[in-house]
Amino acid sequence: MARILIVDDSPSQLLGIKRIVEKLGHETLTAEDGAAGVEAARREKPALILMDVVMPNLNGFQATRTISKDPETAHIPIVLVTTKDQETDKVWGMRQGAKAYVTKPIKEEELVAVLKELLPA
């Protein structure tokens, strides 16, 4: 199965997302902020990244832009997973290079559907 990087500064959110992803049989890596997420993406080259937006140091929009503009990591699909639920946030996130946008609280079936859509079979 796939290796998925989860970037979120909330331990409870990290755990909840990790549980959903691992239940599908995927391996998880975690990072606690955007800067650590960018480093982990470069180092580990995960199959997909689940990225929170509101985080210290580097926010999820900035981290997504950095990862999607780097030739080494541009191929990795990024899914923004955030409480920011305004249409303008979604449009901005997609402009930064995200392939999908999921709002919190996470609906497990929605996250599962996005993972199935973006990960190679």
Side-chain angles (χ1 to χ4, degrees):
M1 296 307 274
R3 291 173 72 219
I4 297 175
L5 172 61
I6 305 166
V7 185
D8 201 310
D9 62 326
S10 161
S12 60
Q13 288 290 332
L14 209 53
L15 197 62
I17 297 168
K18 189 174 171 159
R19 184 184 53 76
I20 294 169
V21 171
E22 289 178 349
K23 195 159 78 170
L24 295 171
H26 300 298
E27 180 187 339
T28 57
L29 307 161
T30 61
E32 285 78 38
D33 64 46
V38 170
E39 283 306 308
R42 288 183 179 139
R43 185 178 62 250
E44 303 290 340
K45 306 285 190 295
L48 184 136
I49 300 170
L50 297 171
M51 178 81 69
D52 185 23
V53 172
V54 182
M55 295 183 289
N57 301 328
L58 202 61
N59 72 41
F61 291 142
Q62 294 165 320
T64 296
R65 185 170 53 244
T66 301
I67 292 166
S68 63
K69 299 270 186 272
D70 184 335
E72 295 248 336
T73 53
H75 66 283
I76 304 169
I78 301 171
V79 178
L80 290 171
V81 182
T82 179
T83 55
K84 295 178 80 58
D85 61 357
Q86 299 299 306
E87 190 59 30
T88 52
D89 296 321
K90 183 175 183 179
V91 168
W92 183 246
M94 301 308 262
R95 279 193 185 158
Q96 304 316 302
K99 299 290 182 243
Y101 198 96
V102 175
T103 55
K104 294 177 183 175
I106 296 167
K107 293 176 198 72
E108 185 170 345
E109 55 280 355
E110 182 183 4
L111 185 58
V112 169
V114 167
L115 291 175
K116 286 183 177 170
E117 178 188 328
L118 294 174
L119 288 171

